[in-house]
């Protein structure tokens, strides 16, 4: 579904990503872990071109996103993204947040979109908050809404950029539960996270990024129980 | 202190006022003048906001785009030139050189609008910059284009940040239109000047003029406060 070939990203003189190649298949739940500054978030943000890569290829459903003539917006509609800081639209109600893009992009009629939005909200237990504004919700609730907002576009893949890092500890669980359910339904997911428990339990593949390269990758069992490289061992020793 | 000296002018002031504006019916001139002042102010406000928004958006997108460089450059020239010329001079240039066959009112609307646009541009730009970058990213990640995100997500939020400043600009604009008489427009200032020339009564006429502007400004300030309060009922800065 997403085929990343030799992805590179330089900021000025700094090399953030130094040739990352990975294939993400339909139904994969890939967790990306690594120390801060290892390029995890940049890697994720390159996947939907929020960050412009400086080299390599990102083939999404057969099209190279680096191609200048490609309709990037059309492809982004199929890639949902959830941000660390939620980034809900504060001037719209929860329902407005969910329906805004599908209606504007003529993907659905207003009533279809609202029906879809209410279905999604009730699945995360927030249907009764549809008329509220984001500022009236807790962090965990906002992040669940943000997940619904991305899902409302009916994407083929979901990208999560440290979705629980800005949450109070007691709210982390409710967001991870939603993500876990999503994974069980077969959604393709790429998750940058510090939640090792989630990576171990939910993902089918873990990428360990260090210094802008994939230092080690494998099944959760291989990564967490049988780490090969010294760097991964010392990283795990610090976070587990 | 001679109290007769104080009391006497007050009585004559009132008598003269009634005589000039009511008995001799000159209030009609004042009302007509007010109408023109209102037309020019509102017209210029619309043009100013439109020009200001376009320039602010061009400059926002122009920061990282080579293709927009010439446009950004044009906008800079516009702002520099307009801000560097006194309003009266600009007005007369438009009336006597650029728009020779247009009516004074049309010239007034256009010239004041163009002048106001230069100030609005910087104002609106500061509002756009005050909106969190995550908002643009969230919009883009859903597949909305830059302009769609700007229109639906960024600008509605920017407006809230800059409403007080736009109010100030509007107040400055109302008072600035008092020079419209230079291009044969009978605005409220011109109307009062004509009455003064006719009656040789400076105190009564000029006092009334000052009070009229004062009342307009007070009413506008109140209205803007109301609007601000309505918009901030679901303010994102308000934490629950």
């Amino acid at each position: 579904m997403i085929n990343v070939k030799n992805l590179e990203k330089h900021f000025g003189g700094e090399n953030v990503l130094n040739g990352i190649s990975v294939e993400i298949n339909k139904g994969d739940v890939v967790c990306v872990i690594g120390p801060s500054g290892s390029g995890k978030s940049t890697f994720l943000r390159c996947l939907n071109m929020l960050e412009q890569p400086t080299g390599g290829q990102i083939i999404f459903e057969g099209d190279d996103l680096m191609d200048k003539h490609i309709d990037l917006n059309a492809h982004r509609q199929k890639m949902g993204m959830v941000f660390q800081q939620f980034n809900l639209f504060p001037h719209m109600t929860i329902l407005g947040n969910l329906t805004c893009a599908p209606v504007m992009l003529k993907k659905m009629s207003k009533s279809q979109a609202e029906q879809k939005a209410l279905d999604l909200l009730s699945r995360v237990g927030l249907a009764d908050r549809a008329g509220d504004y984001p500022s009236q919700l807790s962090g965990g609730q906002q992040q669940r809404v943000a997940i619904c907002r991305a899902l409302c576009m009916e994407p083929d893949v979901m990208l999560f950029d440290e979705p629980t890092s800005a949450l109070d500890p007691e709210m982390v669980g409710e967001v991870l539960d939603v993500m876990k359910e999503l994974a069980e339904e077969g959604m393709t997911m790429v998750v940058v996270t510090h939640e090792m428990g989630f990576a171990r339990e939910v993902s089918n593949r873990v990428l360990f990024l260090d210094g802008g390269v994939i230092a080690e990758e494998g099944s959760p069992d291989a990564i967490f129980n049988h780490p090969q490289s010294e760097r991964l061992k010392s990283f795990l020793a610090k976070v587990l | 202190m001679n109290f007769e000296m104080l009391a006497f002018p007050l009585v004559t002031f009132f008598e003269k006022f009634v005589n000039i504006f009511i008995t001799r019916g000159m209030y009609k001139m004042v009302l007509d003048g007010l109408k023109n002042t209102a037309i020019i102010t509102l017209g210029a406000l619309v043009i100013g906001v439109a020009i200001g928004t376009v320039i602010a958006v061009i400059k926002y997108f122009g920061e990282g785009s080579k293709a927009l460089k010439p446009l950004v450059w044009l906008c800079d020239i516009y702002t520099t030139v307009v801000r560097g010329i006194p309003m009266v001079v600009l007005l007369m240039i438009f009336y006597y050189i650029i728009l020779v066959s247009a009516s004074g009112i049309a010239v007034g609307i256009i010239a004041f609008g163009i002048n106001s646009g230069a100030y609005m541009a910087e104002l609106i730009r500061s509002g756009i910059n005050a909106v969190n970058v995550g908002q643009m990213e969230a919009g883009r990640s859903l597949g909305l284009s830059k302009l769609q995100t700007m229109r639906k997500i960024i600008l509605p939020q920017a407006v809230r940040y800059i409403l007080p400043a736009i109010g100030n600009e509007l107040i400055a604009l109302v008072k600035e239109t008092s020079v419209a008489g230079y291009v044969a427009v009978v605005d409220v200032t011109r109307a009062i000047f004509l009455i003064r020339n006719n009656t040789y009564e400076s105190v009564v006429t000029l006092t009334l003029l000052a009070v009229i502007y004062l009342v307009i400004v007070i009413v506008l300030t109140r209205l803007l406060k109301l609007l601000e309060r309505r918009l901030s009922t679901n303010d994102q800065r308000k934490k629950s």
Side-chain angles (χ1 to χ4, degrees):
Chain A
M1 176 175 281
I2 306 179
N3 198 350
V4 181
K5 289 179 188 163
N6 209 20
L7 185 68
E8 286 179 22
K9 173 70 185 178
H10 313 302
F11 283 113
E14 205 184 337
N15 299 343
V16 185
L17 300 178
N18 297 309
I20 289 188
S21 298
V22 65
E23 190 161 1
I24 294 155
N25 300 309
K26 195 168 163 35
D28 269 357
V29 177
V30 178
C31 277
V32 185
I33 61 171
S36 59
S38 59
K40 315 183 287 292
S41 282
T42 308
F43 164 69
L44 191 78
R45 290 159 56 81
C46 280
L47 291 183
N48 68 350
M49 303 287 280
L50 276 187
E51 213 74 72
Q52 185 81 38
T54 37
Q57 279 182 309
I58 300 166
I59 317 284
F60 175 60
E61 297 182 340
D63 296 314
D64 186 356
L65 299 185
M66 298 277 282
D67 186 344
K68 284 208 158 48
H69 304 290
I70 209 158
D71 183 1
L72 204 50
N73 294 328
H75 286 85
R76 282 197 180 124
Q77 292 181 29
K78 292 181 249 160
M79 308 171 108
M81 188 163 198
V82 176
F83 299 85
Q84 184 177 352
Q85 301 292 343
F86 330 136
N87 293 345
L88 292 178
F89 307 134
H91 59 301
M92 296 180 186
T93 61
I94 302 306
L95 194 65
N97 266 276
L98 266 64
T99 56
C100 152
V103 172
M104 232 180 145
L105 296 166
K106 301 198 166 59
K107 200 174 153 60
M108 303 172 197
S109 72
K110 195 161 191 288
S111 61
Q112 274 177 316
E114 279 174 1
Q115 190 53 53
K116 170 102 192 156
L118 288 172
D119 283 350
L120 286 167
L121 286 174
S122 61
R123 272 173 51 192
V124 301
L126 290 171
D128 56 329
R129 310 302 300 269
D132 289 343
Y133 284 87
S135 61
Q136 295 168 292
L137 270 57
S138 72
Q141 291 171 329
Q142 289 193 44
Q143 193 61 301
R144 281 185 276 158
V145 169
I147 293 172
C148 291
R149 177 177 67 181
L151 288 174
C152 213
M153 285 298 291
E154 300 178 332
D156 296 336
V157 56
M158 287 282 283
L159 312 175
F160 292 85
D161 188 4
E162 303 197 21
T164 57
S165 298
L167 295 175
D168 290 342
E170 77 262 35
M171 291 170 180
V172 170
E174 61 190 67
V175 172
L176 290 182
D177 285 346
V178 169
M179 291 168 62
K180 198 174 151 192
E181 237 174 78
L182 202 56
E184 279 160 6
E185 285 165 21
M187 175 60 80
T188 311
M189 294 162 64
V190 184
V191 187
V192 171
T193 188
H194 293 294
E195 297 292 330
M196 296 305 148
F198 178 85
R200 192 196 291 249
E201 191 187 342
V202 181
S203 71
N204 66 339
R205 207 135 54 89
V206 178
L207 308 181
F208 172 62
L209 254 65
D210 191 37
V213 294
I214 298 180
E216 198 163 333
E217 74 171 294
S219 68
D221 178 56
I223 291 285
F224 291 109
N225 300 333
H226 311 287
Q228 302 298 310
S229 66
E230 281 311 311
R231 280 191 294 185
L232 177 54
K233 282 177 191 164
S234 75
F235 174 73
L236 289 176
K238 278 180 214 146
V239 298
L240 288 182
Chain B
M1 194 77 180
N2 187 340
F3 287 98
E4 267 186 15
M5 287 267 288
L6 253 180
F8 178 64
L10 258 180
V11 173
T12 46
F13 181 94
F14 187 70
E15 278 171 359
K16 281 176 181 169
F17 182 87
V18 171
N19 179 38
I20 294 170
F21 291 105
I22 297 169
T23 316
R24 293 170 67 182
M26 291 193 186
Y27 70 91
K28 285 184 210 135
M29 283 175 74
V30 178
L31 287 182
D32 283 344
L34 268 173
K35 197 182 79 187
N36 286 337
T37 296
I39 290 172
I40 292 179
T41 305
L42 292 180
L45 179 70
V46 171
I47 293 180
V49 169
I51 293 179
T53 308
V54 169
I55 291 183
V57 171
I58 288 175
K59 283 196 170 177
Y60 178 83
F61 289 137
E63 269 166 23
S65 153
K66 278 204 180 89
L68 284 174
K69 267 269 161 62
L71 271 177
V72 172
W73 192 64
L74 273 178
C75 291
D76 282 337
I77 292 181
Y78 165 80
T79 350
T80 311
V81 168
V82 169
R83 289 211 285 195
I85 300 176
M87 188 58 233
V88 188
V89 180
L90 196 67
L91 189 65
M92 292 180 62
I93 287 175
F94 268 91
Y95 190 66
Y96 291 108
I97 303 175
I98 302 176
L99 301 168
V100 184
S101 55
S103 74
I105 296 220
V107 169
I109 290 174
I110 291 167
F112 283 109
I114 284 177
N115 182 62
S116 180
Y119 295 93
M120 291 280 189
E122 283 308 306
L123 242 166
I124 294 170
R125 198 159 78 104
S126 71
I128 290 174
N129 287 334
V131 177
N132 192 312
V133 283
Q135 294 290 311
M136 179 53 88
E137 291 185 347
R140 300 306 307 279
S141 80
L142 288 164
L144 300 176
S145 71
K146 274 185 194 173
L147 277 177
Q148 284 171 322
T149 312
M150 183 50 79
R151 191 159 56 86
K152 272 287 220 199
I153 315 288
I154 309 291
L155 284 177
Q157 294 181 59
V159 166
R160 289 172 197 206
Y161 289 121
I162 55 174
L163 204 59
I166 288 194
N168 287 341
E169 177 60 28
L170 175 60
I171 285 166
L173 181 61
V174 176
K175 293 189 289 184
E176 230 168 23
T177 59
S178 60
V179 297
Y182 276 88
V183 295
V185 174
V186 184
D187 70 321
V188 69
T189 300
R190 191 60 164 192
I192 293 280
F193 283 5
L194 290 173
I195 295 168
R196 174 174 166 267
N197 290 346
N198 207 309
T199 59
Y200 304 106
E201 286 293 347
S202 290
V203 180
V204 177
T205 51
L206 294 180
T207 307
L208 175 68
L209 182 58
V211 170
I212 286 175
Y213 278 113
L214 187 59
V215 169
I216 293 176
V217 169
I218 290 171
V219 169
L220 280 178
T221 311
R222 283 283 165 85
L223 285 177
L224 283 158
K225 275 267 147 58
L226 270 178
L227 188 61
E228 241 174 89
R229 206 171 312 152
R230 276 198 55 170
L231 279 178
S232 68
T233 44
N234 42 51
D235 196 330
Q236 66 269 36
R237 282 162 291 189
K238 190 180 69 195
K239 280 263 183 271
S240 61

